[in-house]
PDB file of all heavy atoms in Angstrom:
ATOM      1  N   ASN A1155     144.513 107.585 127.512  1.00 98.00           N
ATOM      2  CA  ASN A1155     143.455 108.569 127.379  1.00 98.00           C
ATOM      3  C   ASN A1155     143.796 109.667 126.378  1.00 98.00           C
ATOM      4  O   ASN A1155     144.882 110.232 126.466  1.00 98.00           O
ATOM      5  CB  ASN A1155     143.045 109.162 128.728  1.00 98.00           C
ATOM      6  CG  ASN A1155     141.857 110.141 128.604  1.00 98.00           C
ATOM      7  OD1 ASN A1155     140.780 109.856 128.094  1.00 98.00           O
ATOM      8  ND2 ASN A1155     142.110 111.377 129.047  1.00 98.00           N
ATOM      9  N   ASN A1156     142.880 109.971 125.474  1.00 98.00           N
ATOM     10  CA  ASN A1156     143.063 111.081 124.610  1.00 98.00           C
ATOM     11  C   ASN A1156     144.236 111.009 123.603  1.00 98.00           C
ATOM     12  O   ASN A1156     145.233 111.748 123.697  1.00 98.00           O
ATOM     13  CB  ASN A1156     143.077 112.445 125.402  1.00 98.00           C
ATOM     14  CG  ASN A1156     142.913 113.678 124.546  1.00 98.00           C
ATOM     15  OD1 ASN A1156     142.298 113.533 123.481  1.00 98.00           O
ATOM     16  ND2 ASN A1156     143.358 114.790 125.046  1.00 98.00           N
ATOM     17  N   ILE A1157     144.089 110.177 122.730  1.00 98.00           N
ATOM     18  CA  ILE A1157     145.011 110.010 121.532  1.00 98.00           C
ATOM     19  C   ILE A1157     144.372 110.455 120.328  1.00 98.00           C
ATOM     20  O   ILE A1157     143.313 109.968 119.916  1.00 98.00           O
ATOM     21  CB  ILE A1157     145.601 108.575 121.425  1.00 98.00           C
ATOM     22  CG1 ILE A1157     145.952 107.944 122.718  1.00 98.00           C
ATOM     23  CG2 ILE A1157     146.596 108.487 120.318  1.00 98.00           C
ATOM     24  CD1 ILE A1157     147.238 108.550 123.337  1.00 98.00           C
ATOM     25  N   GLU A1158     144.873 111.452 119.648  1.00 98.00           N
ATOM     26  CA  GLU A1158     144.251 111.992 118.423  1.00 98.00           C
ATOM     27  C   GLU A1158     145.200 112.227 117.304  1.00 98.00           C
ATOM     28  O   GLU A1158     146.410 112.572 117.553  1.00 98.00           O
ATOM     29  CB  GLU A1158     143.619 113.389 118.769  1.00 98.00           C
ATOM     30  CG  GLU A1158     142.862 113.999 117.659  1.00 98.00           C
ATOM     31  CD  GLU A1158     142.326 115.409 117.930  1.00 98.00           C
ATOM     32  OE1 GLU A1158     142.415 115.769 119.137  1.00 98.00           O
ATOM     33  OE2 GLU A1158     141.914 116.118 117.017  1.00 98.00           O
ATOM     34  N   THR A1159     144.753 111.968 116.041  1.00 98.00           N
ATOM     35  CA  THR A1159     145.462 112.219 114.832  1.00 98.00           C
ATOM     36  C   THR A1159     144.651 113.058 113.992  1.00 98.00           C
ATOM     37  O   THR A1159     143.441 112.890 113.930  1.00 98.00           O
ATOM     38  CB  THR A1159     145.988 110.918 114.178  1.00 98.00           C
ATOM     39  OG1 THR A1159     144.777 110.274 113.613  1.00 98.00           O
ATOM     40  CG2 THR A1159     146.652 109.993 115.104  1.00 98.00           C
ATOM     41  N   HIS A1160     145.287 113.970 113.171  1.00 98.00           N
ATOM     42  CA  HIS A1160     144.536 114.795 112.312  1.00 98.00           C
ATOM     43  C   HIS A1160     144.313 114.118 110.973  1.00 98.00           C
ATOM     44  O   HIS A1160     143.283 114.301 110.372  1.00 98.00           O
ATOM     45  CB  HIS A1160     145.359 116.061 112.041  1.00 98.00           C
ATOM     46  CG  HIS A1160     145.101 117.145 113.075  1.00 98.00           C
ATOM     47  ND1 HIS A1160     145.773 118.352 113.044  1.00 98.00           N
ATOM     48  CD2 HIS A1160     144.525 117.011 114.298  1.00 98.00           C
ATOM     49  CE1 HIS A1160     145.405 119.038 114.117  1.00 98.00           C
ATOM     50  NE2 HIS A1160     144.717 118.261 114.886  1.00 98.00           N
ATOM     51  N   HIS A1161     145.200 113.186 110.559  1.00 98.00           N
ATOM     52  CA  HIS A1161     145.037 112.574 109.233  1.00 98.00           C
ATOM     53  C   HIS A1161     145.232 111.097 109.209  1.00 98.00           C
ATOM     54  O   HIS A1161     145.165 110.465 108.159  1.00 98.00           O
ATOM     55  CB  HIS A1161     145.978 113.201 108.268  1.00 98.00           C
ATOM     56  CG  HIS A1161     145.697 114.670 108.093  1.00 98.00           C
ATOM     57  ND1 HIS A1161     146.405 115.709 108.751  1.00 98.00           N
ATOM     58  CD2 HIS A1161     144.820 115.332 107.295  1.00 98.00           C
ATOM     59  CE1 HIS A1161     145.929 116.843 108.432  1.00 98.00           C
ATOM     60  NE2 HIS A1161     144.999 116.714 107.593  1.00 98.00           N
ATOM     61  N   GLY A1162     145.590 110.397 110.391  1.00 98.00           N
ATOM     62  CA  GLY A1162     146.044 109.030 110.198  1.00 98.00           C
ATOM     63  C   GLY A1162     145.305 108.131 111.282  1.00 98.00           C
ATOM     64  O   GLY A1162     144.446 108.563 111.995  1.00 98.00           O
ATOM     65  N   ALA A1163     145.760 106.884 111.357  1.00 98.00           N
ATOM     66  CA  ALA A1163     145.180 105.934 112.336  1.00 98.00           C
ATOM     67  C   ALA A1163     145.555 106.320 113.749  1.00 98.00           C
ATOM     68  O   ALA A1163     146.601 106.967 113.941  1.00 98.00           O
ATOM     69  CB  ALA A1163     145.713 104.517 111.982  1.00 98.00           C
ATOM     70  N   ALA A1164     144.719 105.888 114.650  1.00 98.00           N
ATOM     71  CA  ALA A1164     144.931 106.106 116.062  1.00 98.00           C
ATOM     72  C   ALA A1164     144.657 104.882 116.852  1.00 98.00           C
ATOM     73  O   ALA A1164     143.608 104.273 116.673  1.00 98.00           O
ATOM     74  CB  ALA A1164     144.167 107.341 116.565  1.00 98.00           C
ATOM     75  N   ASN A1165     145.560 104.574 117.761  1.00 98.00           N
ATOM     76  CA  ASN A1165     145.421 103.280 118.571  1.00 98.00           C
ATOM     77  C   ASN A1165     145.856 103.523 119.996  1.00 98.00           C
ATOM     78  O   ASN A1165     146.859 104.184 120.213  1.00 98.00           O
ATOM     79  CB  ASN A1165     146.303 102.105 117.994  1.00 98.00           C
ATOM     80  CG  ASN A1165     145.908 101.823 116.527  1.00 98.00           C
ATOM     81  OD1 ASN A1165     145.065 100.979 116.291  1.00 98.00           O
ATOM     82  ND2 ASN A1165     146.539 102.457 115.578  1.00 98.00           N
ATOM     83  N   GLY A1166     145.076 102.985 120.871  1.00 98.00           N
ATOM     84  CA  GLY A1166     145.511 102.993 122.346  1.00 98.00           C
ATOM     85  C   GLY A1166     146.784 102.182 122.491  1.00 98.00           C
ATOM     86  O   GLY A1166     147.806 102.608 122.889  1.00 98.00           O
ATOM     87  N   ILE A1167     146.675 100.899 122.087  1.00 98.00           N
ATOM     88  CA  ILE A1167     147.771  99.993 122.103  1.00 98.00           C
ATOM     89  C   ILE A1167     147.819  99.205 120.788  1.00 98.00           C
ATOM     90  O   ILE A1167     146.704  98.873 120.277  1.00 98.00           O
ATOM     91  CB  ILE A1167     147.738  98.986 123.229  1.00 98.00           C
ATOM     92  CG1 ILE A1167     147.692  99.668 124.669  1.00 98.00           C
ATOM     93  CG2 ILE A1167     148.870  98.034 123.210  1.00 98.00           C
ATOM     94  CD1 ILE A1167     147.413  98.789 125.802  1.00 98.00           C
ATOM     95  N   ALA A1168     148.969  98.954 120.219  1.00 98.00           N
ATOM     96  CA  ALA A1168     149.098  98.165 119.017  1.00 98.00           C
ATOM     97  C   ALA A1168     150.091  97.001 119.162  1.00 98.00           C
ATOM     98  O   ALA A1168     151.201  97.174 119.621  1.00 98.00           O
ATOM     99  CB  ALA A1168     149.567  99.074 117.851  1.00 98.00           C
ATOM    100  N   LEU A1169     149.600  95.709 118.922  1.00 98.00           N
ATOM    101  CA  LEU A1169     150.474  94.567 119.013  1.00 98.00           C
ATOM    102  C   LEU A1169     150.852  94.176 117.615  1.00 98.00           C
ATOM    103  O   LEU A1169     150.081  93.719 116.771  1.00 98.00           O
ATOM    104  CB  LEU A1169     149.629  93.414 119.622  1.00 98.00           C
ATOM    105  CG  LEU A1169     150.379  92.135 120.064  1.00 98.00           C
ATOM    106  CD1 LEU A1169     151.451  92.393 121.108  1.00 98.00           C
ATOM    107  CD2 LEU A1169     149.354  91.120 120.513  1.00 98.00           C
ATOM    108  N   PHE A1170     152.209  94.382 117.369  1.00 98.00           N
ATOM    109  CA  PHE A1170     152.766  94.065 116.080  1.00 98.00           C
ATOM    110  C   PHE A1170     153.619  92.820 115.998  1.00 98.00           C
ATOM    111  O   PHE A1170     153.703  92.090 116.977  1.00 98.00           O
ATOM    112  CB  PHE A1170     153.644  95.270 115.591  1.00 98.00           C
ATOM    113  CG  PHE A1170     152.843  96.542 115.258  1.00 98.00           C
ATOM    114  CD1 PHE A1170     153.164  97.751 115.826  1.00 98.00           C
ATOM    115  CD2 PHE A1170     151.823  96.508 114.380  1.00 98.00           C
ATOM    116  CE1 PHE A1170     152.496  98.905 115.571  1.00 98.00           C
ATOM    117  CE2 PHE A1170     151.100  97.637 114.037  1.00 98.00           C
ATOM    118  CZ  PHE A1170     151.489  98.877 114.652  1.00 98.00           C
ATOM    119  N   LYS A1171     154.170  92.552 114.866  1.00 97.00           N
ATOM    120  CA  LYS A1171     154.814  91.368 114.456  1.00 97.00           C
ATOM    121  C   LYS A1171     155.606  90.687 115.492  1.00 97.00           C
ATOM    122  O   LYS A1171     156.358  91.265 116.372  1.00 97.00           O
ATOM    123  CB  LYS A1171     155.888  91.799 113.349  1.00 97.00           C
ATOM    124  CG  LYS A1171     156.746  90.656 112.853  1.00 97.00           C
ATOM    125  CD  LYS A1171     157.729  91.095 111.832  1.00 97.00           C
ATOM    126  CE  LYS A1171     158.543  90.006 111.350  1.00 97.00           C
ATOM    127  NZ  LYS A1171     159.626  90.445 110.314  1.00 97.00           N
ATOM    128  N   ASP A1172     155.457  89.303 115.649  1.00 98.00           N
ATOM    129  CA  ASP A1172     156.206  88.377 116.505  1.00 98.00           C
ATOM    130  C   ASP A1172     156.202  88.846 117.880  1.00 98.00           C
ATOM    131  O   ASP A1172     157.224  88.806 118.550  1.00 98.00           O
ATOM    132  CB  ASP A1172     157.651  88.349 116.000  1.00 98.00           C
ATOM    133  CG  ASP A1172     157.758  87.818 114.579  1.00 98.00           C
ATOM    134  OD1 ASP A1172     156.878  87.115 114.185  1.00 98.00           O
ATOM    135  OD2 ASP A1172     158.782  88.139 113.888  1.00 98.00           O
ATOM    136  N   SER A1173     155.014  89.168 118.413  1.00 98.00           N
ATOM    137  CA  SER A1173     154.984  89.587 119.778  1.00 98.00           C
ATOM    138  C   SER A1173     153.850  88.775 120.569  1.00 98.00           C
ATOM    139  O   SER A1173     152.955  88.279 119.963  1.00 98.00           O
ATOM    140  CB  SER A1173     154.555  91.089 119.902  1.00 98.00           C
ATOM    141  OG  SER A1173     155.598  91.848 119.278  1.00 98.00           O
ATOM    142  N   SER A1174     154.154  88.719 121.933  1.00 98.00           N
ATOM    143  CA  SER A1174     153.122  88.032 122.800  1.00 98.00           C
ATOM    144  C   SER A1174     153.051  88.785 124.028  1.00 98.00           C
ATOM    145  O   SER A1174     154.011  89.148 124.674  1.00 98.00           O
ATOM    146  CB  SER A1174     153.616  86.537 123.024  1.00 98.00           C
ATOM    147  OG  SER A1174     154.857  86.528 123.671  1.00 98.00           O
ATOM    148  N   VAL A1175     151.800  89.080 124.491  1.00 98.00           N
ATOM    149  CA  VAL A1175     151.517  89.913 125.576  1.00 98.00           C
ATOM    150  C   VAL A1175     150.322  89.363 126.406  1.00 98.00           C
ATOM    151  O   VAL A1175     149.311  88.938 125.749  1.00 98.00           O
ATOM    152  CB  VAL A1175     151.280  91.309 125.220  1.00 98.00           C
ATOM    153  CG1 VAL A1175     150.831  92.224 126.419  1.00 98.00           C
ATOM    154  CG2 VAL A1175     152.451  91.966 124.493  1.00 98.00           C
ATOM    155  N   ASP A1176     150.369  89.499 127.762  1.00 97.00           N
ATOM    156  CA  ASP A1176     149.229  89.258 128.572  1.00 97.00           C
ATOM    157  C   ASP A1176     148.650  90.614 129.018  1.00 97.00           C
ATOM    158  O   ASP A1176     149.419  91.480 129.486  1.00 97.00           O
ATOM    159  CB  ASP A1176     149.578  88.394 129.845  1.00 97.00           C
ATOM    160  CG  ASP A1176     148.381  88.391 130.716  1.00 97.00           C
ATOM    161  OD1 ASP A1176     147.528  87.574 130.411  1.00 97.00           O
ATOM    162  OD2 ASP A1176     148.419  88.967 131.808  1.00 97.00           O
TER     163      ASP A1176
END
Side-chain angles (χ1 to χ4, degrees):
N1155 179 58
N1156 195 20
I1157 309 295
E1158 179 183 352
T1159 65
H1160 281 182
H1161 298 98
N1165 299 270
I1167 301 173
L1169 188 63
F1170 287 128
K1171 178 183 179 182
D1172 297 335
S1173 296
S1174 60
V1175 173
D1176 176 70

